[in-house]
Each structure stands twice: as C-alpha cells, then as structure tokens.
Amino acid sequence: MKSKHLSAYLSLLLFLPLFSLHAGYKLVQAPLEDDLMQVHIYELDNGLTVYLTENHETPTFRSEITVRAGSKDDPADATGLAHYLEHLLFKGNTEYGTSDWEKEKPHIERITELYEEHFHEEDPEERARIYQEINKESQLAAQYAIPSEFDTLISSLGGQGINAYTAPDRTVYLEELPSNRLEQWAKLESNRFKDPVFRLFQPELEIVYEEKNRSMDNKDRLIQEALFSLLYGEHPYGSQTALGSVEHLKKPSLKKIHEFFNAHYVANNMAVSLSGDFQAEEAIEVVDKYFSSWKSGDIPEFTRPMPAPITEKKTVTVTYPGQENVIIGFDTAPTGHEDEPALKLVDMILDNANAGLINLNLNQQQRVAQAGSFPYIRNDAGSQFLYGAPKEGQSLEEVEALLLEQLEILKNGDFEEWILSAIVTDFEKNEKLAMETNAGRLRLISTAFGEKKEWADVVSEIDRMAALTKEDLVRVANKYFSKPYVAAYRKDGDYTPPTVPKPEFDPIDIDRSKRSEFAAELLAMESDPIEPEFLKKGDDYQVMKLGNGVRLFYVENPANDLFALSKVYELGSREMRELPMTAALLDKSGTSRLSPPELKKAWYALGADFGFSVGDHNTTLSVSGLEQNFDESLSLFQEVLLDSQGNADVLKELVAIQLKQKQDAMKEPSMIFNALRNYTRYGEESPFLTGLSSTEIKALSVEDLMSQLHRLSGYQHDYLYVGKMPIKDVAKKLKKLSKTKRALKPAPAPVLPKLHEPKSNEIVYVDWETAQSQIRIEFPGGIYDESERPMIETFNEYFYGGMGGIVFQEMREARALAYSVWAHFLVSSFEGGENLVMGFIGTQADKTVDSLAAYLDLWNNMPRSEDRFGVVKESLDNQFRVSKIGFRDVLGAVKAWERVGLEGDPRETRYERIMAGELEDLFEFYDAEIQGQPKMISILGPSTAIDMEALKQHGELRQVQISDIFVD
C-alpha cells in the first residue's frame, strides 16, 4: 500500500511543477518510501515549515503548531515567561476576543505600563498600590473582552482536545477538528499568532499561580527539579522550570512577554503540522493561503552556558510524606548525536517493562519495591536516569547500589544478544500503534521539528538501531556510565510548600451574547456537511457464539499487523475481593515449564504483551502482539491461565511490598483525596474500606490466590479480538482452548454500592499540608435511564464544555479561583445503576471558602443563555458528525452499551433527540435533576489556611482522620 501511494504521487510530480502556481511554497521532502506516515514536508516563502500526513480512519484532522522556543529561552530574571505566553495566546488579538479593540486598547496599554512599574518596584507598599491600580484598569478593559472566544469558536466548529504545552525546547498548540473545517481552522489559527493582545492578564496570572501550586504538591516534580539542578547547573534545564519561580510569578513583565513573542514567534522558527482526513496537495494550498502572511525574522541565538560535565558525585535530599525514592542521573548526549540510537537501545536493555535487566533482576525478584529507567535527551544535553523505591527496612543507598549493579552488568556485556532484535521489534510495534491516531503521528512530528531533526533521520532511526551490535552498545554503556553521576533522594518526612498570598481581585462580568465580527465571519464560512457514521453489527463488527456461554466479538484491523485479544469476565474486585492480589502474584509467577524470568523473556521474544486488569466489576485477561506470532502467543496465554505456579516465598515478599505501598498511600495527597471522596460518596461501603485489610492480606496463601483463577474460569465470558485473521479462523483457534465440559455460570449481578443521599449539604474534611486544596462536589443523579442521555449530554456540554463552557469561564476566566476545574453528569456503567453528578476544583488553600461558595452558587444558579445554547448545539452537531469510532475502540463501545442494557449503537437516536432539544428542555431537566440538590462535599487541605468557621456556612462540617477512610 505504501509503494502504491508513493508511485501515484511520483507520477503526479511528473506533470506538476515543484512550486505552486503562485510560488508561495516548495516541497522540501516528498514522502519517503519507508515512511509509514508518508509525510509531505513543505516550506512556505516566509520560512514556515509544514508537515502533512494523511490518515483517513476518521473524518477529522489534528493540528499542532510548534515553536522552537520553550522554558530554556526564558530570561533569567523572568522565568515562566514562555509558559505565560502559551496561556495568553488563547486570549485573542485585535480582531477577535474583543467587542471593540479601539476602546479596549488604551486600557491594555495602561495595564502593560503598570505591570512594568510593578516589575521594577522593590517597595512592597508601592507594589501593592500599583496592583490596586492594575485591578481597577483591568475591570475597565474587561468590559470589552470576550473571554474564551478562541475556545468557543473551536468548539462551535466541532473541535476537541484544545490544549498547549511548554517544554524546555519548544511550545506546542494543538486541537482536533472535523475534516470539513480545514479552511476555517486555517483562518483562525493563522490569525491567532498575528497581533496578539494579552488581555485578561490579571486573572490568567492567578491561574498560573494555581498551576504552580499544583506542581508544588507533586512529589515527583519535587525530586526531579532537585535532580535537574544538580545535573544541569546554570543551564536553564537545571536553573529554571517551565512554570517559573514563585518570586518571578509575583512580578511578571508584559513587556518582556511581548519581546519574547516578537523574537521567537516568527514563521521561520515555527511549524504547522496536520494529520488526518485530507489530501495533502489540497491542504498545502489552504495553509499557504492563510499562513503565508506570517512574518519571518532573525531567530535569537541561545547564548547561555551549556551544562558542565559532572566531575564528581553530587547528591541532594528532599523530604515528602510517603514513598521514598532515589533517582541517579548520568550525562549522555543531546539530540542528533551519533550515539542517540544506541542510548535509546541501552535504556531498553535496562528497562523495557518486561525483560530488561532492571525488570528481571530487581522487579521480578522483588529486590526493591519498584525500579526502572528512562532516557532524557534534549537539544542541549542528554541524560540517563535510573530510579528505585525501597522495600520496608531497605535504605535508599541500598537501592542505589542495586541500580548501579545493573549498569555494571550492562557495561560487562552480561546480557543475551536476542534482546536486541526484540527491542527493535518493540520500537516497531509502538511506531505502528502511534500511526493509528492523529495524535500519535503529530507527537512524533512536533518532537522532530522541536529537536531540529531531518525527517529522513527520524524515519530511519529504528533501522539504525537494528544495525547496532552488542559490542556497539557495550562500548556506549562504558563511555557514558563509567563517569561520576548525580543522585537525588526523596525521604519520608514533612514538607511545607512555599506559599503565594491571595491577591485582591475583583471578578469580571461575562457577557455571553458578545461575538466579534471576525467570529461571525468565520462561522459564516460554508463547508460541506459530514454525514455521521454509526456502528452496524455485521459491517463494523461481528459477534459469534462459541458455545457454553462464550462469545467472540470481532473487528478487522485495517491498519497494520498488530492483534489484540481480550478475555472479559463481568466480575471484578467488588465481587471477588482477592482478584487484585491474584493479578499481582501472577505477574511474579512462572509455569511448570517456564520460570518467572523465562516467562517474561518468552513474552518479549514473541513481541507480545500479557495483561491482567481487575476493575470494580469486570476483569480482563489480554494478550496483544504481532499477528504472525498469534498461535504462539495464544498458546503461551493459555499456559499462563491454566498452569501458573505461584511460590510461597514470592508471595511473602509481595505481601510485604504491598503492605508498605498501602502505608505510603496513606501519606500521599492524591490517594488520600481519592479515599476521602469515596468515603463521602459510599460511607463504609467505600472500596478503600471494603478492600482486603492488612490482616487478610497477610493470611493469603498461594492456593487461595491461584484458586481465584479457577473460580473465574467457571463463569461465562467474552473474547474480544481485533486483528487481520478472519473471524472463522479466530473462532476455531479459541474453541480449541476450552477443554472443560462443565457448564459455565452466568456472572452474578454487579455489587453496586448505594450512593449516600444527604438531606442538606455535608462537608467531609481531611486536614493535610498542601499548597492547593482539592474540593469535590457530588450528588446522586438517579437510576440510569437511556431516555435521559440526550439531555445529560446537552447539560454536560452546556455547563462544562471545556474551556468555552460556563464552569471554566466563571470559575477560571472571571474569578481566577482555579487552574483545574470541571463538572460532569456521569451516567452509570450498568443497567439499574446510579448516576453520579460531580464537580472538582483545585484551588490555592486560602481561596478554599471563596471557591466553594462560588462553585455551589454556579451549580444552584446555572446561567441561562440562548447564545451559549446555540454554541452547544453547533458543537454537539459537529461532534456527532465526526464521531466515527476508531477500529480499536469499537468493541469497548459495544460492550459498554451492552452493560447498560442496549443492543447496537444508541448514538443515532441520541443525536436526533439532542438536535431536537430546546433551551427550555435543558432547564426543565436542570430544575428537576440538579438545581438545589443537597451536595456531598469532600475537601483536602491545610486548616491553617482555611477559614473553618466560614466553611461551615456551606454545609455540615465533619473532619475525619486517615484511619476513617482507609481499611487497616
């Protein structure tokens, strides 16, 4: 297929000039014969690079706009600036995001001047006075602003996944839209980066504070930043972070942000990448038409010092409650270095999740609680990291020694040579999986552009890996891992995050009826409608009875030679409490024929992956890999299920590790909050209380756990297959697996705990030292009723609906109370199950009461807006029209529909009813199901920063302890 496509394209080139008719661009890289994505690379006359890859799996396309500038390019006295700019480029420009730019302009200019005064002022009282003036001027400017107009436009066009990220060496802006909206996308995105206006900066500044707060509650970021400082020194990789320092966040400079934009956001320093349902020759014409107006410029030279070599071992220690960890880091080589392919292979010899040295010698043998490795290869420097967590009674230094031991094995060449070809196969598999989605394709392209790599080198990298020998890898290992290194230790202990005082801030009024002329013109552009595609049994998937209560669900893989087979039981940890421990033991076990390490090697040699996933109410045993090895993979799958051999000593060690991880989880804020909200929701029926106790875990035997597999196999189940093989051949092979004549039992009805129904608002609180409070608002949403689904989906889009939704605009844009805030009416996954309505806020601890009050008011008094409802209808219409389900997701969707009692695809009926709905219907549903409902409120945060008396005004307050929400 690749050759046919390439031949057709080369034939076309014989009859077309290399340059377009208006000479606005040139083709700089035709699709390479061995490129799975068949990427076309163009360069516009202004220097803009354009990558195009066709993918016709769904009627959508994805866009990623990449700038070769990131956090390393921040000025040393204004860190976090690139990330600020990323946020501000969602605010519009002189044409959109404003109802009257000429009236707004003097206020924006004055705000810029005031922030510059604030930046240079050292006197705290004078800075406070300037901030008050900024606050007043911001209110005047805000009356002309149209918050989130960019996001609203993308949503109206049916776009999803609107986001951006700032990395050290690049910044990327992304979204996915219907394929018939390519020209509207081009008009909007090309306009976005011309004459940007940094409006609504004051609330956005607060949002970045909140993002910083969230990062300071992240234990992994804490140790990483300490390690990077040691490893990279004064280079920005080590001396500054993407979010910036707290001190710099307190005094931003809009002038410096403008200077950064003007210097780096030029056409010859940027790339537009598209993947999806389009013809490349047509798409480049559209891109040229709109993006050719971008200006090129002189790209600033990076002049900061490169990281100095590590000449002696350096260490650093941080403390944080919970799991301890050690990370060691070695200097390696930057991107584009001749050793880069070898370094990536070397990392996989250490840790490929299955048969690497660390996997087999440390994790499989349970010599540590957990360990692994990863490469960190950037434009200016490269590193290799190894990490590990200790068992009970084990020191971090002992874990470090074990990690270094694996490096010595590697350097001595004491690894089997077959692993090299298996790793190459692993890379090839992951590449094929990435090619299945637009996101996977563009992730590779954006990275390549950001790393300044030639596309031919990207395409040939796996081939270059395959050409490496064991001697090559041993040489590279000795070259880089015989030098001094750095080590960071995270020890269990108290941690007090830095604080950012809550500033004075007046909320902004949002008028949802406002729309810029640019937006009106954009939405008026005509496009050919896409007809929605819904699944049809027999065409898109097949179901075959295999007998004895077993069915086969089948989908053909049209993309590659990778199969996936799952054996699905409708029972989980709620019905069989020991199953999660069975899965954990199975991961450490072998069979009568194969020892545990030999089994891991066998899977990896086949290019196959085995999985044992236990949910609350279903269990999935899975195998996936290369279609050519299906028979061998299936045979090994069956061997594991029928002949796994547990070991008492292995179980004893496993239990000790599990109990320590359980104790560590009771100190981890995210796990505590998870346990807290489940306790608030279910009380004593919380899964954190009904799971196995420590006493029960200690009493488990190998026989107990292995018998769970036998018990599970006695129930009816389904096979889900995605692959190339015809369904009859798959069925024939699966029928041979079952040698038992016993009748399989139907799965029991799921054990669904009853949601708590408060009579009035109830607040359950855990006092914990964090920078951010986490708040969850929940209440029961009735029994699942398919007839309510259309209105539930309409409500979700109207109330939340991403960045353009009411929740985001009111809580984040208007009030700056949270970085992360969302709401969702979650329907039950089971027929007869209860729905759950939920909302979340992550907010600076001293804003807890303000945030909760504002959010409760929003839930109880949802704004009524014909304009917002119109956007919702447009968005849902476009979303349904492109909601074709990708082939790997078809069977999961079919099974989900079946679990709620539906046969076939219900989306066609839902779509018709959503399109027929009116605003009155939505508010009738809201009044009946949501407005004024008593709330279950869970809060995790520090009592020292929260006004507890004020908190009581919003519900009956009850403080609980860790022992109340976790089983002993």
Side-chain angles (χ1 to χ4, degrees):
M1 185 172 180
K2 287 189 297 181
S3 299
K4 180 179 178 182
H5 181 96
L6 183 64
S7 299
Y9 181 72
L10 291 175
S11 297
L12 183 64
L13 286 180
L14 294 176
F15 298 97
L16 290 177
L18 187 61
F19 293 87
S20 72
L21 293 177
H22 48 75
Y25 59 86
K26 60 183 178 181
L27 179 66
V28 296
Q29 178 67 74
L32 300 168
E33 186 174 0
D34 52 352
D35 180 6
L36 297 180
M37 293 195 287
Q38 291 293 282
V39 175
H40 299 66
I41 306 176
Y42 297 89
E43 185 180 292
L44 302 193
D45 285 353
N46 58 9
L48 179 68
T49 303
V50 181
Y51 296 82
L52 302 176
T53 171
E54 297 178 20
N55 176 25
H56 303 287
E57 172 67 13
T58 60
T60 62
F61 73 93
R62 183 181 178 88
S63 151
E64 293 196 6
I65 297 177
T66 306
V67 189
R68 281 178 176 156
S71 58
K72 84 168 188 188
D73 301 293
D74 288 341
D77 63 345
T79 58
L81 189 148
H83 179 249
Y84 266 139
L85 177 57
E86 172 218 306
H87 279 242
L88 293 171
L89 283 169
F90 286 85
K91 303 301 181 184
N93 60 6
T94 58
E95 293 189 53
Y96 74 93
T98 181
S99 59
D100 192 327
W101 168 238
E102 291 306 317
K103 292 181 179 178
E104 182 188 28
K105 182 179 178 181
H107 300 297
I108 295 294
E109 291 175 344
R110 180 58 182 148
I111 290 169
T112 302
E113 293 170 358
L114 287 168
Y115 269 110
E116 200 61 22
E117 292 178 24
H118 188 266
F119 176 78
H120 292 287
E121 183 57 59
E122 297 296 333
D123 181 62
E125 291 186 6
E126 181 60 17
R127 288 180 65 185
R129 185 200 64 76
I130 296 171
Y131 193 85
Q132 286 297 321
E133 194 172 345
I134 289 172
N135 191 43
K136 293 175 183 176
E137 200 69 37
S138 296
Q139 289 295 315
L140 295 172
Q143 61 188 316
Y144 305 106
I146 306 176
S148 302
E149 187 165 38
F150 174 85
D151 311 284
T152 300
L153 285 170
I154 293 289
S155 181
S156 295
L157 297 173
Q160 294 182 305
I162 309 165
N163 212 334
Y165 65 86
T166 303
D169 301 307
R170 66 185 180 273
T171 307
V172 182
Y173 302 83
L174 51 93
E175 62 260 338
E176 191 143 355
L177 291 100
S179 55
N180 64 339
R181 303 295 186 177
L182 183 63
E183 185 147 7
Q184 286 158 298
W185 162 84
K187 180 179 175 68
L188 177 58
E189 280 289 12
S190 62
N191 190 281
R192 177 188 194 179
F193 295 92
K194 291 188 293 189
D195 303 317
V197 175
F198 301 153
R199 56 176 59 90
L200 300 175
F201 181 68
Q202 188 189 21
E204 200 60 38
L205 177 59
E206 295 302 306
I207 297 310
V208 174
Y209 284 169
E210 290 293 356
E211 194 173 358
K212 182 68 175 180
N213 285 331
R214 188 174 72 160
S215 77
M216 292 189 295
D217 288 334
N218 185 316
K219 64 181 183 183
D220 295 324
R221 188 183 287 262
L222 182 71
I223 189 173
Q224 176 186 300
E225 290 180 0
L227 183 71
F228 281 16
S229 179
L230 279 186
L231 195 56
Y232 303 122
E234 293 304 309
H235 186 279
Y237 291 171
S239 61
Q240 54 199 54
T241 67
L243 296 179
S245 70
V246 171
E247 285 306 310
H248 291 166
L249 290 180
K250 291 177 181 177
K251 53 171 196 173
S253 167
L254 277 168
K255 179 183 176 183
K256 286 181 179 288
I257 298 176
H258 276 286
E259 290 171 350
F260 188 97
F261 174 83
N262 292 332
H264 295 283
Y265 281 64
V266 290
N268 50 321
N269 198 40
M270 299 175 71
V272 170
S273 306
L274 300 177
S275 173
D277 187 25
F278 53 76
Q279 298 299 318
E281 293 81 2
E282 297 173 2
I284 187 57
E285 293 289 340
V286 175
V287 172
D288 180 51
K289 175 181 176 181
Y290 289 96
F291 288 86
S292 60
S293 62
W294 282 11
K295 304 300 182 185
S296 59
D298 295 328
I299 303 169
E301 182 181 355
F302 184 77
T303 57
R304 303 277 288 276
M306 290 295 108
I310 303 300
T311 57
E312 60 180 358
K313 181 182 177 181
K314 300 178 183 178
T315 64
V316 64
T317 300
V318 298
T319 60
Y320 196 92
Q323 185 188 60
E324 295 190 330
N325 199 17
V326 57
I327 306 179
I328 62 177
F330 289 83
D331 283 329
T332 58
T335 57
H337 191 279
E338 62 181 0
D339 288 336
E340 184 178 0
L343 286 166
K344 290 179 178 178
L345 270 179
V346 161
D347 173 70
M348 291 286 278
I349 293 173
L350 288 169
D351 175 16
N352 54 55
N354 288 289
L357 295 173
I358 291 174
N359 310 127
L360 297 177
N361 298 337
L362 301 187
N363 292 332
Q364 187 67 35
Q365 296 182 38
Q366 301 184 106
R367 296 171 72 190
V368 296
Q370 179 187 9
S373 72
F374 60 94
Y376 188 81
I377 303 176
R378 295 292 184 187
N379 290 9
D380 295 344
S383 306
Q384 176 66 43
F385 295 113
L386 294 83
Y387 63 90
K391 300 188 295 184
E392 185 68 40
Q394 189 176 39
S395 71
L396 290 175
E397 290 74 15
E398 288 173 319
V399 175
E400 178 183 355
L402 290 171
L403 293 171
L404 292 173
E405 180 183 290
Q406 308 316 302
L407 286 179
E408 288 304 310
I409 294 172
L410 173 65
K411 288 158 59 180
N412 291 332
D414 294 335
F415 56 89
E416 297 171 281
E417 199 152 354
W418 68 267
I419 197 75
L420 303 187
S421 60
I423 291 171
V424 169
T425 298
D426 202 355
F427 276 113
E428 290 172 339
K429 279 172 46 188
N430 289 327
E431 182 182 47
K432 290 174 184 177
L433 287 170
M435 297 310 101
E436 292 179 6
T437 66
N438 292 329
R441 290 169 177 240
L442 292 193
R443 188 180 307 115
L444 188 62
I445 288 173
S446 293
T447 300
F449 178 78
E451 293 178 349
K452 303 180 181 180
K453 288 184 176 178
E454 294 294 328
W455 187 246
D457 292 337
V458 176
V459 171
S460 65
E461 184 176 52
I462 294 178
D463 289 339
R464 284 181 282 131
M465 289 180 181
L468 293 168
T469 65
K470 182 176 181 178
E471 290 72 24
D472 293 328
L473 301 181
V474 170
R475 175 185 58 78
V476 167
N478 279 279
K479 176 180 178 180
Y480 292 105
F481 304 146
S482 299
K483 302 182 297 184
Y485 63 93
V486 300
Y489 310 104
R490 187 182 66 228
K491 296 193 173 183
D492 183 12
D494 293 335
Y495 169 68
T496 302
T499 58
V500 179
K502 180 176 70 172
E504 294 296 324
F505 176 77
D506 294 329
I508 294 167
D509 291 329
I510 292 179
D511 182 353
R512 291 180 181 80
S513 67
K514 290 193 294 187
R515 176 178 282 181
S516 66
E517 290 183 12
F518 175 89
E521 291 173 7
L522 185 82
L523 295 175
M525 293 172 66
E526 294 185 358
S527 60
D528 296 329
I530 296 172
E531 291 305 314
E533 295 183 52
F534 302 107
L535 295 181
K536 290 183 173 57
K537 186 177 179 180
D539 293 337
D540 300 299
Y541 67 97
Q542 300 178 59
V543 181
M544 177 184 289
K545 292 182 179 179
L546 300 182
N548 199 17
V550 180
R551 298 177 298 173
L552 168 62
F553 289 70
Y554 173 93
V555 165
E556 183 180 357
N557 177 352
N560 51 49
D561 61 348
L562 302 181
F563 80 88
L565 177 71
S566 298
K567 190 175 187 179
V568 180
Y569 292 89
E570 299 301 317
L571 303 92
S573 58
R574 281 283 190 176
E575 293 77 30
M576 298 176 65
R577 295 169 66 235
E578 295 86 359
L579 265 183
M581 280 297 293
T582 299
L585 179 60
L586 207 69
D587 183 58
K588 307 298 181 189
S589 301
T591 66
S592 298
R593 182 175 68 92
L594 298 169
S595 68
E598 289 171 341
L599 178 58
K600 292 290 188 183
K601 292 178 184 179
W603 282 122
Y604 202 63
L606 285 171
D609 292 297
F610 172 79
F612 189 162
S613 172
V614 183
D616 284 349
H617 306 291
N618 51 68
T619 298
T620 301
L621 299 152
S622 62
V623 60
S624 60
L626 303 171
E627 197 76 62
Q628 67 194 52
N629 293 336
F630 179 85
D631 289 348
E632 292 173 88
S633 300
L634 184 62
S635 176
L636 191 57
F637 181 70
Q638 187 72 348
E639 181 179 345
V640 169
L641 298 188
L642 295 180
D643 189 36
S644 283
Q645 301 295 311
N647 178 281
D649 290 334
V650 170
L651 176 60
K652 181 179 179 181
E653 197 66 60
L654 176 64
V655 165
I657 289 173
Q658 292 277 325
L659 292 177
K660 184 177 188 306
Q661 290 177 341
K662 184 178 175 184
Q663 291 300 313
D664 288 339
M666 295 182 189
K667 301 175 183 178
E668 169 61 45
S670 62
M671 290 299 296
I672 296 171
F673 186 62
N674 195 8
L676 172 64
R677 62 184 176 81
N678 272 278
Y679 177 78
T680 306
R681 187 187 299 173
Y682 297 119
E684 296 301 319
E685 291 301 307
S686 161
F688 285 83
L689 291 173
T690 60
L692 296 176
S693 68
S694 298
T695 301
E696 289 174 308
I697 291 174
K698 290 176 183 177
L700 289 172
S701 68
V702 171
E703 292 72 21
D704 292 335
L705 296 179
M706 290 305 178
S707 69
Q708 296 299 305
L709 269 181
H710 179 73
R711 179 185 165 196
L712 189 67
S713 67
Y715 288 100
Q716 295 174 2
H717 52 271
D718 294 323
Y719 285 104
L720 278 57
Y721 170 86
V722 179
K724 290 285 191 187
M725 203 183 311
I727 186 172
K728 290 183 179 179
D729 293 348
V730 179
K732 184 178 179 180
K733 294 175 186 294
L734 292 177
K735 284 180 180 179
K736 289 182 180 179
L737 295 183
S738 180
K739 298 179 181 179
T740 180
K741 299 299 181 182
R742 61 174 173 162
L744 299 180
K745 298 179 291 184
V751 180
L752 302 175
K754 184 85 174 73
L755 290 169
H756 175 55
E757 296 185 29
K759 303 300 182 185
S760 59
N761 287 356
E762 296 177 1
I763 302 172
V764 185
Y765 168 72
V766 167
D767 186 3
W768 202 259
E769 189 66 39
T770 54
Q772 266 196 345
S773 289
Q774 298 182 64
I775 306 170
R776 194 70 168 260
I777 297 173
E778 298 181 339
F779 54 93
I783 302 299
Y784 181 90
D785 183 347
E786 175 60 25
S787 68
E788 291 186 341
R789 281 298 294 267
M791 202 48 62
I792 290 172
E793 292 188 29
T794 304
F795 168 78
N796 282 337
E797 188 70 20
Y798 182 92
F799 191 53
Y800 178 53
M803 293 183 182
I806 286 173
V807 166
F808 191 91
Q809 287 196 354
E810 291 290 340
M811 297 297 295
R812 179 164 159 164
E813 297 282 88
R815 293 177 171 83
L817 289 171
Y819 169 74
S820 178
V821 57
W822 52 262
H824 195 71
F825 194 122
L826 180 68
V827 296
S828 174
S829 300
F830 298 94
E831 187 175 14
E834 287 183 286
N835 303 323
L836 178 66
V837 189
M838 61 178 71
F840 170 80
I841 324 167
T843 188
Q844 188 166 301
D846 58 1
K847 298 181 186 176
T848 299
V849 177
D850 294 341
S851 297
L852 178 61
Y855 207 16
L856 287 173
D857 180 66
L858 199 58
W859 276 100
N860 291 329
N861 299 284
M862 184 172 73
R864 188 185 190 95
S865 170
E866 288 282 0
D867 295 283
R868 174 63 188 160
F869 188 73
V871 170
V872 166
K873 292 289 286 289
E874 289 175 339
S875 177
L876 290 173
D877 183 20
N878 283 306
Q879 287 178 36
F880 269 97
R881 288 181 181 276
V882 297
S883 64
K884 179 184 176 183
I885 298 175
F887 71 93
R888 286 207 186 271
D889 299 321
V890 167
L891 297 183
V894 172
K895 285 290 294 180
W897 296 328
E898 186 180 80
R899 288 183 181 121
V900 292
L902 303 175
E903 184 175 350
D905 191 341
R907 294 176 300 148
E908 186 169 7
T909 301
R910 292 175 188 170
Y911 174 49
E912 292 171 355
R913 292 191 58 199
I914 285 172
M915 290 299 99
E918 301 290 344
L919 184 62
E920 289 302 321
D921 301 322
L922 172 62
F923 271 82
E924 182 179 330
F925 170 81
Y926 167 76
D927 291 341
E929 303 293 338
I930 296 164
Q931 201 278 331
Q933 294 290 338
K935 312 293 192 298
M936 300 177 281
I937 302 167
S938 306
I939 301 178
L940 175 79
S943 60
T944 53
I946 300 173
D947 186 337
M948 304 305 288
E949 288 302 314
L951 189 60
K952 292 177 183 178
Q953 303 303 310
H954 302 289
E956 180 183 345
L957 179 63
R958 177 162 60 103
Q959 183 173 340
V960 294
Q961 305 302 317
I962 299 300
S963 58
D964 296 322
I965 59 177
F966 285 94
V967 66
D968 181 21

